[in-house]
């Protein structure tokens, strides 16, 4: 059944608007994905979509028609609104006229013990730009990572900019968030997973490192790099050599370079 809503005071419209704020995403365990491609990715995953909000105009697209049909078959709440209402709710500059309210999937480190493969984690140590977080999740999914671990202090992985940056990969790689550094280190040590930290101090060029063992590669805060706590516990420190007086790479770019060296070595 499709509900046609004409008021900004409708509780589901107000819910979607409230999820722009982290405190409501945390409190309700919900977040928003927007745009045809991202909603498609959500539909194709096993994540629970509670509500879909869309405009009549967007129904002109065949892809949107298929999304609506798929969600109706899953008994998702369907809400059609006027473009003027949608524009009050959207968090994008050029909205495509469709969004989904999705229930967060909660993962823990212990979930990964069933994998029985050589672990390949990426650890984000207080990475604060949501665009970087989303891009790194996308790269981790593409590289076949076991999971993405985010320490406390990272940008919210469910913020709209991070979700967009992941291009839907948020639905395809396990994400474990909100852990302290000591919790991460204890888990990795207990399960014989080597810690590799990006650092310029006493480090090796990244392609000289053996990446074939179970490992977790730590990438740090945009301004301060990897914390001393991880640096001190790392079995190896690695860096990317740079030419032409370039001081550093963006953290998401660094992750892409290093993760694909892991992929190359493990083939």
């Amino acid at each position: 059944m499709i509900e046609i809503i004409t008021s900004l005071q409708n509780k589901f419209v107000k819910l979607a608007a409230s999820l722009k704020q982290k405190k409501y995403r945390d409190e309700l365990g919900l977040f928003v994905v927007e745009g045809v491609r991202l909603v498609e990715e959500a539909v194709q995953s096993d994540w629970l979509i509670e509500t879909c909000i869309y405009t009549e105009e967007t129904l002109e697209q065949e892809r949107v028609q298929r999304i609506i049909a798929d969600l109706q078959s899953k008994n998702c709440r369907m809400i059609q609104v006027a473009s003027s209402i949608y524009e009050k709710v959207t968090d994008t500059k050029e909205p495509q006229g469709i969004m989904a309210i999705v229930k967060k999937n909660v993962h823990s480190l212990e979930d990964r013990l069933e994998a029985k493969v050589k672990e390949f984690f990426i650890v984000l140590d207080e990475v604060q730009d949501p665009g970087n977080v989303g891009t790194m999740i996308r790269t981790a999914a593409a590289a076949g990572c076991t999971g993405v671990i985010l320490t406390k202090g990272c940008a919210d992985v469910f913020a709209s900019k991070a979700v967009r940056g992941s291009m839907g990969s948020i639905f395809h790689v396990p994400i474990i968030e909100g852990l302290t550094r000591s919790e991460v280190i204890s888990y990795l040590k207990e399960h014989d997973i080597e810690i590799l930290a990006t650092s310029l101090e006493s480090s090796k060029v990244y392609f000289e490192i053996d990446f074939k063992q179970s490992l977790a590669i730590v990438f740090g805060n945009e301004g301060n790099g990897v914390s001393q706590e991880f640096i001190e516990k790392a079995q190896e420190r690695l860096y990317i050599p740079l030419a032409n007086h370039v001081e550093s790479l963006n953290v998401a770019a660094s992750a892409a370079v290093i993760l694909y060296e892991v992929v190359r070595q493990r083939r």
Side-chain angles (χ1 to χ4, degrees), residues 41-209:
E41 291 286 346
V43 171
Q44 292 165 11
S45 74
D46 60 358
W47 293 47
L48 176 63
I49 301 175
E50 294 199 348
T51 304
C52 177
I53 300 175
Y54 62 93
T55 65
E56 183 178 6
E57 290 81 358
T58 199
L59 286 174
E60 295 174 3
Q61 301 177 53
E62 288 186 10
R63 287 172 69 186
V64 172
Q65 293 172 19
R66 288 195 294 270
I67 290 170
I68 300 300
D70 285 343
L71 288 175
Q72 285 180 308
S73 71
K74 296 180 180 181
N75 295 318
C76 174
R77 181 182 295 273
M78 310 301 297
I79 295 178
Q80 182 178 309
V81 298
S83 296
S84 58
I85 292 179
Y86 192 93
E87 288 170 4
K88 297 289 185 180
V89 177
T90 182
D91 198 27
T92 62
K93 291 181 180 179
E94 297 181 1
Q96 295 180 11
I98 185 168
M99 67 173 62
I101 298 175
V102 184
K103 186 173 179 60
K104 294 181 183 180
N105 264 8
V106 178
H107 292 278
S108 72
L109 285 170
E110 296 302 328
D111 293 340
R112 306 309 308 150
L113 289 180
E114 300 176 2
K116 299 188 183 302
V117 296
K118 288 186 178 179
E119 304 284 1
F120 177 16
F121 285 106
I122 178 174
V123 180
L124 280 56
D125 183 20
E126 289 195 13
V127 175
Q128 295 183 326
D129 183 279
N132 283 336
V133 169
T135 300
M136 293 170 81
I137 289 170
R138 183 181 181 183
T139 303
C145 283
T146 306
V148 179
I149 301 170
L150 292 86
T151 65
K152 289 182 177 178
C154 278
D156 182 12
V157 69
F158 297 107
S160 60
K161 189 176 179 181
V163 174
R164 289 196 299 271
S166 82
M167 288 298 289
S169 293
I170 189 173
F171 300 114
H172 306 303
V173 61
I175 297 168
I176 306 101
E177 57 173 346
L179 300 178
T180 65
R181 295 185 181 107
S182 60
E183 286 173 331
V184 177
I185 291 167
S186 295
Y187 172 85
L188 298 175
K189 182 177 179 181
E190 180 182 352
H191 297 290
D192 297 318
I193 300 170
E194 286 197 10
I195 300 173
L196 284 68
T198 54
S199 173
L200 294 176
E201 299 176 6
S202 304
S203 53
K204 296 180 181 178
V205 177
Y206 75 98
F207 50 72
E208 294 178 350
I209 302 288

Side-chain angles (χ1 to χ4, degrees), residues 8-22:
L8 280 170
Q9 300 309 310
N10 175 269
K11 63 179 180 179
F12 295 106
V13 171
K14 293 172 73 173
L15 170 63
S18 74
L19 294 175
K20 295 178 185 179
Q21 299 181 56
K22 184 179 187 301

Side-chain angles (χ1 to χ4, degrees), residues 132 135-136 139 219 240 248-259:
N132 283 336
T135 300
M136 293 170 81
T139 303
F219 296 90
I240 299 171
S248 64
L249 292 178
N250 169 277
V251 65
S254 297
V257 170
I258 293 172
L259 294 189

